[in-house]
């Protein structure tokens, strides 16, 4: 009898020769449990998804209730489906006033695709501006705006008319002109190793977009829903986007993404041609029911309010000569080490000792620290102890 691991390696497509190969039986709160009952602290929230931790009972109840009523009925946007309607209503109630309409997708990358198309369609312009070291997803459009040549070059030709600017560099904003359809940017860059921009930069970017009639697309797929200590990352910077991108924590553990804009902008998808973006499963009723329940928990339990304190605790604990810097905002943090080799050894030791951390796609010498927002101070102490032990071990 082959083991599960052997079957996984034989039958499930692999995208590296070095998958983590961890096996879990169940997950609850901040913990993942293997078949022997060993608990691992999930210090990365499944890459920015499990903001409420795993198996939140209210999210599970909402999923079960919806499954009993109906699952897929029709492609997106035709039938009036209660979970989609209620979820959009709730999201709009917490958005800034200009974001009045939500288009639900299957994933983050599909939200990116929809938003890029919408910006081109609405402005009638072709040029797109994105940032170096950005990550927006893995489909062709999203890959075209990824700021890392290494992952792109094998897939050309990609979208034409994409230009790159340096993140947090005000000089480069002069590239935004009346020819530019949109600037797509992560409010806090994730895969670049967590880079928080200056307030003055983001405000200048906003002003330049407004001045040139360019749509500002903020990708908050990783940063939203309390991750940075506010519901949305842009709240730290006193600006609002023209199009907001959401996914990951949006579904409370279920797969759903969204792009949101004003009625005026969004209505461009209805004309010349109609059906400007089509998706079968986008906004699946079960995912929307889960997402709504998750958002209610996030708001009712005021989880955002505890994030800054938890960040401060982590920063106060993770002090070691080998940790060169802790970057980030809230519970979206990166601990910078000397190089990838050291980082990888430390990460492996942490995992062995029951704390799951990892590195970043475009920044291999930094360790990702992004626990569920529900992590307690004691659990933070325990996780940081394990990290420090591993750092010390290899120093
Ligand atoms: N944008 C950002 C900032 C992301 O971090 C990710 C996923 N890591 C995506 C877009 C793509 O989302 P998905 O994997 O759901 O397609």
């Amino acid at each position: 009898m082959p083991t599960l691991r052997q079957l996984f390696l034989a039958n499930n497509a692999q995208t590296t020769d070095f998958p983590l190969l961890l096996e879990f039986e169940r997950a609850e709160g901040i913990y993942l449990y293997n078949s022997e009952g060993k608990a691992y602290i999930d210090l990365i929230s499944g890459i920015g998804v499990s903001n409420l931790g795993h198996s939140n009972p209210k999210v599970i109840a909402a999923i079960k209730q919806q499954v009993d009523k109906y699952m897929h009925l029709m492609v997106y946007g035709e039938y009036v489906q209660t979970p989609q309607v209620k979820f959009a209503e709730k999201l709009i109630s917490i958005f800034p006033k200009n974001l009045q309409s939500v288009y639900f997708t299957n994933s983050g990358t599909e939200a990116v695709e929809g938003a890029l198309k919408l910006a081109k369609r609405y402005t009638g312009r072709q040029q797109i501006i994105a940032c170096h070291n950005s990550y927006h997803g893995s489909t062709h459009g999203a890959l075209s705006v990824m700021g890392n040549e290494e992952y792109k070059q094998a897939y050309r030709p990609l979208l034409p008319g994409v230009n790159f600017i340096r993140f947090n560099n005000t000089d480069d904003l002069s590239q935004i002109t009346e020819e530019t359809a949109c600037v797509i940017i992560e409010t806090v860059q994730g895969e670049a190793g967590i880079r928080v921009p200056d307030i003055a930069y983001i405000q200048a970017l906003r002003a330049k977009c407004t001045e040139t009639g360019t749509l500002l697309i903020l990708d908050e797929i990783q940063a939203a829903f309390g991750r940075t200590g506010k519901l949305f990352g842009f709240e730290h910077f006193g600006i609002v986007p023209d199009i907001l991108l959401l996914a990951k924590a949006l579904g409370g553990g279920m797969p759903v993404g969204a792009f949101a804009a004003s009625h005026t902008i969004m209505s461009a998808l209805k004309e010349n041609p109609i059906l400007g973006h089509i998706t079968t499963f986008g906004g699946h009723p079960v995912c929307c029911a889960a997402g709504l329940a998750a958002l209610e928990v996030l708001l009712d339990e005021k989880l955002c309010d505890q994030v800054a304190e938890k960040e401060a605790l982590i920063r106060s604990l993770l002090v070691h000569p080998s940790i060169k810097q802790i970057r980030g905002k809230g519970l979206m943090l990166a601990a910078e080490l000397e190089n990838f080799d050291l980082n990888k050894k430390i990460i492996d030791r942490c995992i062995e000792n029951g704390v799951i951390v990892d590195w970043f796609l475009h920044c291999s010498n930094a360790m990702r620290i992004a626990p569920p927002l529900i992590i307690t101070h004691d659990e933070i102490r325990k996780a940081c102890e394990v990290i420090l032990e591993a750092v010390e071990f290899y120093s």
Side-chain angles (χ1 to χ4, degrees), residues 51 85-102 104 220 223-227 230-235 239-241 244-247 249-251 258 260-261 291-300 302 304:
N51 284 14
V85 174
K86 294 213 157 143
F87 194 22
E89 183 189 30
K90 185 76 184 175
L91 285 167
I92 287 162
S93 78
I94 58 165
F95 283 162
K97 279 200 300 291
N98 69 313
L99 301 175
Q100 304 149 339
S101 177
V102 182
F104 289 116
E220 296 236 354
F225 300 112
R227 177 64 40 211
K230 304 250 187 211
L231 264 179
F232 302 106
F234 60 74
E235 293 173 39
I239 60 140
V240 294
L244 175 64
L245 307 181
L246 302 169
L250 175 68
L292 176 60
L295 182 53
E296 282 168 349
V297 172
L298 186 76
L299 297 171
D300 291 350
K302 298 189 171 37
C304 294

Side-chain angles (χ1 to χ4, degrees), residues 47 106-112 135-139 142 186 188-191 219-223 245 247-248 256-257 332 368:
I47 314 294
N106 288 286
S107 63
T109 203
E110 192 195 359
V112 170
Y135 184 79
H136 298 289
S138 198
T139 51
E186 294 157 87
V188 173
Q189 276 195 327
E191 295 311 308
D219 180 341
E220 296 236 354
I221 287 167
Q222 227 178 102
L245 307 181
K248 291 198 183 270
V256 64
M332 187 173 178
R368 188 190 308 266

Side-chain angles (χ1 to χ4, degrees), residues 115-129:
L116 294 177
K117 286 165 63 188
L118 177 60
K120 286 164 84 174
R121 180 70 197 82
Y122 177 74
T123 60
R125 304 174 185 178
Q126 295 180 0
Q127 189 202 33
I128 294 168
I129 289 184

Side-chain angles (χ1 to χ4, degrees), residues 271-286:
E271 300 149 10
N272 302 319
I274 62 163
L275 298 169
H277 189 72
I278 301 174
T279 182
T280 298
F281 284 129
H284 191 282
V286 179

